[in-house]
Amino acid sequence: MYRVVVIGAGEIANSHLEAIGASGELQAVAVADIDADRARAAGRRFGVTPYVSYREMVEREQPDIAVVALPHHLHREAAVFAAEHGCHILLEKPMARNEAECDAIIRAAQQHGVTLMVGHTQHFKPENRRAKELTKTGALGRLVMVNDTRHLHYFREERPAWFLERAKAGGGILMNLGVHSVDKLQWLTDSRVVRVKASVSHFGPRGDVEGSGLAYLETDSGVAATISQSGYKGAAKDETELIFTGGMLKLVSGKGLWMSDGGEYRRVAVEEEVDPFALQFAELLQAIRSGSEPECSGAYGKSVVCVVEAMYRSHCLGAEVEVAQGGTAR
């Protein structure tokens, strides 16, 4: 049985704790949050010990695995501390605010011999997996283009203020939700983004982060893509369209998958839904036991962050920028 602690008791921590509770191989032992009331509430709900200090929690509980579910600016500090104390790490996305912080986390995991996994749950949704399977089999011919669109009200009042502070979040909607789009693009195409041209806007009613972003991207496999994200008021939308030489797929994460091979879209059957967080823990355990890198390794998580950094750089320069294989925008 692997003993697990969760660092941060915000909304996403509940998903992790529920998945841990449903596992026969994991035991949640403690949760930490600087908000004592929130830590106690999570402790009562999941039957774990609450802490205000995650450092005290890790030192006292000596867990096998630490889940880091903190604001982005605290990812590096908490992940490095966990690695130094011999904890395998499941780190919420985005991995960190920038490439340098990602590198520091990767170094710490390597130096202390622990497994590091970044929480990109898009890999574990059944409709996403089916879309990747169809892409790999060539059922619709060669993939030539991907269009990913996501709109939701990003500046709603209940969103914690740190999300809207660039110094803490690393960016706005692109850094928080755009990483899902970049991840889907790279994962579905088994490739890495190598070039980006992007434009962002800053018209949010509060904070200093971007409220929208539109990017044209190219992968090292020759697939062109667009990512369109808006956090202003309007109809919510979360769709990914994959265009092949012999048809199209429309992927609506969490809802389903549709296919066209020349006519109207028709629904594609997918596997029964399994909690993505449970599947994520299963992959982490497999990596720990085998000593192998998980699919969402530190290097992979870094590649996603670096594409978002390239988007910001492209906007500032008003030009296309390259993303080197090592992840550095230039």
Side-chain angles (χ1 to χ4, degrees):
M1 188 72 72
Y2 291 83
R3 302 173 74 255
V4 187
V5 297
V6 178
I7 303 174
E11 183 178 348
I12 199 68
N14 294 329
S15 297
H16 289 291
L17 286 163
E18 287 168 0
I20 294 167
S23 170
E25 301 177 280
L26 301 170
Q27 178 188 7
V29 294
V31 61
D33 199 287
I34 59 172
D35 184 327
D37 290 338
R38 190 159 61 182
R40 283 194 292 266
R44 287 192 299 270
R45 178 178 174 184
F46 295 100
V48 299
T49 304
Y51 287 84
V52 173
S53 166
Y54 75 79
R55 293 173 180 269
E56 179 186 356
M57 176 181 70
V58 169
E59 289 172 343
R60 182 173 294 183
E61 300 291 345
Q62 298 184 8
D64 301 300
I65 299 169
V67 177
V68 178
L70 292 171
H72 305 164
H73 68 293
L74 300 174
H75 281 196
R76 181 195 59 78
E77 173 189 295
V80 169
F81 183 84
E84 290 172 345
H85 287 75
C87 301
H88 302 295
I89 303 161
L90 177 55
L91 178 58
E92 261 301 324
K93 66 83 203 162
M95 183 177 175
R97 293 176 297 179
N98 53 55
E99 179 188 5
E101 290 185 346
C102 291
D103 283 337
I105 295 168
I106 292 169
R107 281 196 303 271
Q110 292 173 340
Q111 288 170 1
H112 297 281
V114 300
T115 299
L116 168 64
M117 182 174 180
V118 182
H120 286 293
T121 53
Q122 295 290 324
H123 297 212
F124 305 102
K125 294 179 179 291
E127 60 275 10
N128 294 8
R129 289 181 171 228
R130 182 64 174 139
K132 181 165 184 173
E133 179 186 333
L134 289 168
T135 300
K136 291 185 73 172
T137 62
L140 293 172
R142 183 182 180 88
L143 178 65
V144 295
M145 184 164 55
V146 178
N147 294 312
D148 185 273
T149 305
R150 185 163 189 178
H151 303 317
L152 85 169
H153 187 200
Y154 196 72
F155 298 93
R156 63 187 189 278
E157 286 301 316
E158 60 268 29
R159 182 174 294 283
W162 70 263
F163 277 106
L164 306 178
E165 297 178 43
R166 184 176 179 84
K168 292 182 178 178
I173 193 168
L174 290 176
M175 182 59 78
N176 187 29
L177 302 180
V179 294
H180 284 308
S181 298
V182 173
D183 170 41
K184 273 197 287 187
L185 171 60
Q186 294 197 144
W187 178 65
L188 288 170
T189 61
D190 280 325
S191 62
R192 295 290 182 270
V193 174
V194 292
R195 279 178 292 279
V196 175
K197 175 67 176 74
S199 179
V200 306
S201 75
H202 293 81
F203 300 117
R206 59 193 181 107
D208 63 350
V209 299
E210 82 280 358
S212 75
L214 181 63
Y216 170 78
L217 311 95
E218 295 179 7
T219 72
D220 57 10
S221 62
V223 175
T226 62
I227 291 175
S228 172
Q229 299 224 335
S230 171
Y232 306 123
K233 290 182 179 180
K237 184 176 182 180
D238 184 0
E239 294 184 1
T240 306
E241 194 169 49
L242 297 93
I243 301 171
F244 302 80
T245 55
M248 303 167 75
L249 291 175
K250 181 170 71 172
L251 173 61
V252 185
S253 294
K255 294 186 178 180
L257 177 68
W258 289 260
M259 175 194 292
S260 167
D261 53 10
E264 295 296 316
Y265 274 119
R266 63 183 186 278
R267 193 168 193 130
V268 177
V270 300
E271 297 175 358
E272 185 177 346
E273 178 80 34
V274 178
D275 178 17
F277 289 86
L279 294 175
Q280 185 172 249
F281 276 114
E283 181 172 317
L284 174 61
L285 289 177
Q286 193 279 330
I288 291 171
R289 289 170 177 148
S290 66
S292 60
E293 286 280 315
E295 186 175 56
C296 295
S297 64
Y300 180 80
K302 171 186 168 181
S303 77
V304 174
V305 170
C306 287
V307 173
V308 177
E309 283 195 286
M311 291 181 187
Y312 294 144
R313 180 171 173 79
S314 172
H315 172 76
C316 290
L317 295 175
E320 181 181 85
V321 300
E322 293 187 1
V323 182
Q325 289 186 347
T328 305
R330 62 173 187 263

